[in-house]
Amino acid sequence: MNTPSPCRILLVEDDPGDAHLVRQALRAARDMQFDVTWVTSLAEARQQLLDNPPEVLLLDLSLPDSSGMDTVSAGRQAAGALPLIVLTGNDDTGFALLTLESGVQDYLLKSNLTTDGLVRAIRYAISRAKLEQRLLLATRVFETTGEAIMVTDREGRIVAVNPAFCRITGYDEAEVLGNNPRILNSGRHDQGFYEEMWRTLRATGAWAGEIWNRRKNGEAYPQWQTISSVINASGQVTEYIALSADLSEIRLAQEKAEHLSWRDALTGLANRAWFLRELEKTLDSTQRENSYAEVILIDLDRFKDINEVRGLSLGDALLKAVAERLKSALNPDDLLARLDSDEFAVLLPRLSAVRDSAGRDALAMAEKLHAALAEGISLDGEVFRLDASIGIAVFPESPQETTSDVLRQADMAMHQAKAEGGGRVVFFETAMGESIKERYQLERELRLAVEENQLRVYLQPQMDAQGRQVGAEALVRWQHPVRGLVPPGVFIPLAESSDLIVAVDRWMLAEVCRLLARLDAQGRTLRVSVNISPRHFQKEDFLAEVKHQLAASGADPAHLVLEVTEGLVIGDFAGVVTKMLALTALGIHFSMDDFGTGYSSLSYLKRLPIHELKIDKSFIQDAPTDPNDAALVEAILAVAQHLHLQVVAEGVETESQAEFLNARGQVIHQGYLYGRPEPLELWLTRLPAAAP
């Protein structure tokens, strides 16, 4: 059993005899031990309080450096929260009361000093000091907590509130003391709510739950409230304490999050989730009431070009302006949503008993939306006159139709409008044409093709004027398990219209890097080019991805050629250059594909780290016989020579085309004259072996 540590006492007494009596009395204590430090002046006491704080301070009032109430005040200040007992020969009741009021725990006369009396006073002083500390802490908590505290008597009259209560409710303390908490009643709860609350409180001594109260200014607000009963020694309730946390800010945050979950972040319009929810309600109504409603899908024509030429910032501003313009053309009960980058949807929820009538309403609205966009939108001093491809679905087509079916039908119609040249309105019809449905089926199958390794690498040789293979272009093909070899003209445009092109690009880049490493290992070093789509190049992780593929395969970067198009540099030119320079620093080469068919900006060309120009086959085809095409090819060759760029001519199919090119400079040829694209393994068998 551990022996309790002695109670540390600091005795401040200048009379040695009195000090001896006190120490003798403490040593005589039977059930408590004391460790007494004796000093004779207030100055020494202050130092001891700093160096070796005691548990109790015994203070004589007549000291060499202080006396009377001055000693009491100085001792209390020096001791802080420590228990302080006055030892004095002054038998003055008034003076004794004065010292007790100043914070002294006890007042003992030296003439009546006994061991039991002194020990009892010390114990009481320690207990009282602890109690005072707890009361002080409770007071501080009561005054500083951020939660409202209200105390009522057993009859429900308010007897105390804290500052947080006043801040939250708007009432001053004087306005609520003596009142019933019913002054906070919001009127949102019925009598049964309060009866159940009191039944629980009386049965268990506590109740907790959410409750709506009303501030002084009339504003109703939610709070989480905990009510506890205070029970005395006889088991009777004496008070009730209510602790309340204001939930207003939490509710506002929840409402904001709820709002954002149903809203498009850029335009503030309904998002896809909200649109589908409302569409489902409308679809249920049409099926229940045997009537019709309409969905309109709007896709802005050539918006991607604006984004590329003018940048994403202006594109975003234009989308917000388009949202406002479209909204201004709609009826109050129509729902406008943004489903994708430049794709908007309108739900016309008013039901029509006749399908033709519903169609006429939708067409009238579509024309109205067309006209609203054609008026032009002013941004940064420039007027943008927009057009759109619009698809309309009148629903339901069948009793089993779902919201996904309706949206897909409108999307089919919208894509048909775009395929017809844009600026059109097309209705979905059940027999709209298998080509549109085929497109959706093909897109789903292409997603699987990437995942299930149905893609194949084909190679087409690139030859110099002497007929030697100096490079190859890697081309992607799709070996469908049922359809067979799907032509690239079918699936590449489909991939480019979505992020599927990125997945295809990533697969091709990895395969080409593995091929380069394989060729290097066999001693058959060759440059291989691979197409990189603008969408892929602009991904934030593109640079890291290329580095990873090179490192994972062990390919030499100097043998990798990335083919890009002129459209890549429209927009964030500086960002494109930075990324290209980082890749060229690794040894990678860049080729400008289809040069002459796009912007063909010489100012861009001279600032880009390009190593090669590829002349589009449309110029090569008639160059030997058409003076215009010949002049264009010669101009491109002159630019390349001036900028010290290599040139690759695509689509070389005849000897006359080859001779035309060879007569005009060092040009690398690529085309059917030298070989069609063929599977990787077959191409490898035709590739000359490494020199011994």
Side-chain angles (χ1 to χ4, degrees):
M1 184 174 177
N2 293 331
T3 303
S5 299
C7 178
R8 299 188 312 280
I9 303 293
L10 176 59
L11 173 61
V12 187
E13 171 62 68
D14 65 331
D15 186 321
D18 289 345
H20 178 71
L21 290 174
V22 171
R23 286 187 292 176
Q24 283 289 95
L26 293 176
R27 276 198 293 268
R30 293 187 298 274
D31 55 356
M32 193 171 183
Q33 293 184 327
F34 297 93
D35 178 6
V36 181
T37 299
W38 171 39
V39 297
T40 60
S41 68
L42 192 58
E44 290 180 283
R46 287 194 181 99
Q47 192 60 47
Q48 279 295 324
L49 288 168
L50 291 174
D51 296 343
N52 186 26
E55 294 176 65
V56 178
L57 176 62
L58 300 181
L59 181 66
D60 180 27
L61 296 185
S62 297
L63 298 172
D65 50 357
S66 180
S67 64
M69 281 303 300
D70 290 341
T71 306
V72 174
S73 299
R76 180 72 282 168
Q77 183 178 4
L82 288 176
L84 191 157
I85 299 174
V86 167
L87 296 176
T88 180
N90 185 357
D91 187 8
D92 184 336
T93 303
F95 183 77
L97 290 174
L98 192 62
T99 62
L100 293 172
E101 289 172 357
S102 69
V104 169
Q105 268 69 35
D106 214 336
Y107 187 93
L108 301 180
L109 292 175
K110 294 179 182 179
S111 58
N112 297 332
L113 193 64
T114 64
T115 295
D116 289 344
L118 182 56
V119 171
R120 186 167 55 249
I122 290 172
R123 281 179 169 160
Y124 168 75
I126 293 172
S127 299
R128 181 179 168 184
K130 289 180 179 178
L131 179 60
E132 287 174 349
Q133 284 297 306
R134 291 183 63 186
L135 288 173
L136 179 60
L137 178 61
T139 300
R140 286 175 178 169
V141 171
F142 185 82
E143 295 292 336
T144 61
T145 183
E147 297 177 318
I149 300 175
M150 176 179 64
V151 182
T152 72
D153 60 20
R154 59 182 300 173
E155 279 76 36
R157 291 183 293 266
I158 299 174
V159 297
V161 293
N162 71 337
F165 175 94
C166 298
R167 175 177 51 79
I168 292 171
T169 66
Y171 285 101
D172 292 333
E173 183 180 23
E175 294 177 291
V176 297
L177 293 182
N179 280 301
N180 190 283
R182 281 191 294 270
I183 63 170
L184 303 174
N185 195 322
S186 67
R188 294 202 178 193
H189 305 289
D190 58 19
Q191 188 62 30
F193 173 86
Y194 292 103
E195 288 175 356
E196 177 61 27
M197 181 182 76
W198 279 104
R199 187 162 39 249
T200 302
L201 184 57
R202 292 188 180 107
T204 66
W207 177 88
E210 185 175 313
I211 187 170
W212 281 81
N213 279 334
R214 189 176 302 279
R215 307 187 206 274
K216 183 180 178 180
N217 63 8
E219 175 193 351
Y221 68 102
Q223 59 181 183
W224 183 264
Q225 190 168 77
T226 303
I227 305 175
S228 303
S229 304
V230 179
I231 311 295
N232 64 14
S234 303
Q236 296 177 323
V237 175
T238 56
E239 290 93 10
Y240 295 101
I241 300 175
L243 184 66
S244 306
D246 189 350
L247 301 179
S248 300
E249 292 186 5
I250 295 175
R251 283 301 164 81
L252 285 174
Q254 289 174 336
E255 290 173 6
K256 185 176 180 180
E258 176 77 5
H259 174 83
L260 291 175
S261 70
W262 297 104
R263 293 278 184 178
D264 173 58
L266 177 65
T267 63
L269 298 178
N271 61 11
R272 182 180 291 270
W274 186 359
F275 187 83
L276 288 174
R277 183 184 67 176
E278 297 304 311
L279 176 56
E280 185 170 12
K281 292 178 185 176
T282 305
L283 181 59
D284 288 343
S285 298
T286 61
Q287 293 169 336
R288 187 172 57 252
E289 301 182 24
N290 194 27
S291 55
Y292 299 92
E294 312 87 51
V295 161
I296 301 174
L297 279 193
I298 307 157
D299 188 87
L300 301 180
D301 293 335
R302 290 170 289 281
F303 180 77
K304 181 181 177 183
D305 295 341
I306 296 174
N307 251 350
E308 289 180 344
V309 174
R310 302 301 302 276
L312 296 178
S313 179
L314 185 135
D316 286 349
L318 188 57
L319 285 173
K320 289 192 280 188
V322 166
E324 291 300 318
R325 180 63 58 82
L326 294 175
K327 192 160 53 175
S328 68
L330 298 175
N331 298 309
D333 56 344
D334 298 336
L335 176 63
L336 175 64
R338 180 174 177 238
L339 303 188
D340 206 346
S341 172
D342 58 350
E343 186 176 310
F344 297 84
V346 178
L347 173 63
L348 305 179
R350 294 173 301 285
L351 304 184
S352 299
V354 181
R355 184 179 183 86
D356 287 350
S357 175
R360 285 194 299 271
D361 290 343
L363 181 59
M365 179 55 72
E367 295 298 340
K368 190 177 179 182
L369 295 171
H370 257 310
L373 292 174
E375 289 176 8
I377 294 173
S378 297
L379 280 179
D380 295 340
E382 187 174 352
V383 177
F384 294 85
R385 301 191 185 280
L386 303 173
D387 213 338
S389 299
I390 295 181
I392 298 174
V394 178
F395 62 92
E397 283 275 323
S398 68
Q400 294 78 33
E401 201 160 69
T402 66
T403 55
S404 296
D405 294 330
V406 174
L407 208 56
R408 185 173 62 254
Q409 291 162 7
D411 195 46
M412 287 181 182
M414 183 264 288
H415 277 89
Q416 181 65 29
K418 191 168 282 292
E420 293 176 7
R424 298 173 183 269
V425 178
V426 173
F427 278 88
F428 172 82
E429 298 293 342
T430 304
M432 173 171 270
E434 293 304 315
S435 62
I436 296 177
K437 296 178 183 177
E438 173 74 5
R439 175 184 181 277
Y440 281 90
Q441 180 63 26
L442 200 63
E443 182 176 341
R444 284 194 291 270
E445 292 176 3
L446 181 55
R447 291 185 186 278
L448 288 174
V450 178
E451 298 171 4
E452 296 179 359
N453 204 31
Q454 296 174 14
L455 301 182
R456 300 289 183 267
V457 177
Y458 274 52
L459 279 299
Q460 186 173 29
Q462 295 174 336
M463 318 295 286
D464 65 12
Q466 288 73 43
R468 294 172 301 195
Q469 184 168 351
V470 293
E473 180 178 0
L475 302 162
V476 64
R477 296 293 184 264
W478 179 10
Q479 187 65 48
H480 193 283
V482 176
R483 300 172 188 265
L485 194 64
V486 181
V490 173
F491 74 88
I492 291 297
L494 186 65
E496 287 177 338
S497 67
S498 69
D499 261 356
L500 273 174
I501 193 63
V502 177
V504 172
D505 269 12
R506 291 186 195 277
W507 185 88
M508 278 294 290
L509 181 62
E511 292 298 315
V512 168
C513 285
R514 281 193 282 270
L515 170 61
L516 289 174
R518 182 177 174 184
L519 291 173
D520 286 347
Q522 296 171 355
R524 297 193 286 181
T525 299
L526 202 70
R527 281 188 181 174
V528 178
S529 62
V530 61
N531 288 280
I532 299 296
S533 70
R535 192 178 293 219
H536 185 200
F537 186 91
Q538 288 160 1
K539 291 289 184 182
E540 289 186 5
D541 65 343
F542 178 72
L543 183 59
E545 180 198 353
V546 174
K547 291 180 178 179
H548 168 73
Q549 294 296 350
L550 289 169
S553 63
D556 185 344
H559 300 152
L560 176 63
V561 180
L562 301 182
E563 291 193 14
V564 296
T565 60
E566 297 169 67
L568 175 69
V569 301
I570 306 302
D572 182 16
F573 181 79
V576 169
V577 171
T578 299
K579 196 175 289 187
M580 291 178 73
L581 287 172
L583 291 168
T584 56
L586 300 175
I588 293 172
H589 288 66
F590 278 94
S591 175
M592 183 65 76
D593 197 13
D594 300 334
F595 186 74
T597 63
Y599 297 96
S600 302
S601 170
L602 297 182
S603 65
Y604 280 162
L605 192 60
K606 70 179 183 179
R607 293 158 59 192
L608 290 171
I610 293 292
H611 306 86
E612 177 181 280
L613 294 182
K614 293 193 79 172
I615 305 176
D616 187 69
K617 64 181 180 181
S618 62
F619 300 128
I620 302 299
Q621 185 175 356
D622 297 324
T625 58
D626 187 326
N628 292 326
D629 282 345
L632 286 171
V633 171
E634 288 170 353
I636 294 172
L637 292 174
V639 168
Q641 183 178 9
H642 180 73
L643 296 177
H644 307 291
L645 300 177
Q646 181 172 277
V647 176
V648 176
E650 292 184 297
V652 180
E653 299 178 356
T654 66
E655 290 290 350
S656 62
Q657 292 168 349
E659 291 169 1
F660 171 86
L661 293 168
N662 288 334
R664 284 160 177 79
Q666 294 295 321
V667 180
I668 295 173
H669 302 185
Q670 178 181 338
Y672 288 174
L673 180 61
Y674 306 99
R676 292 175 177 269
E678 54 190 359
L680 170 60
E681 296 303 328
L682 180 57
W683 175 81
L684 283 171
T685 63
R686 302 184 195 279
L687 188 66

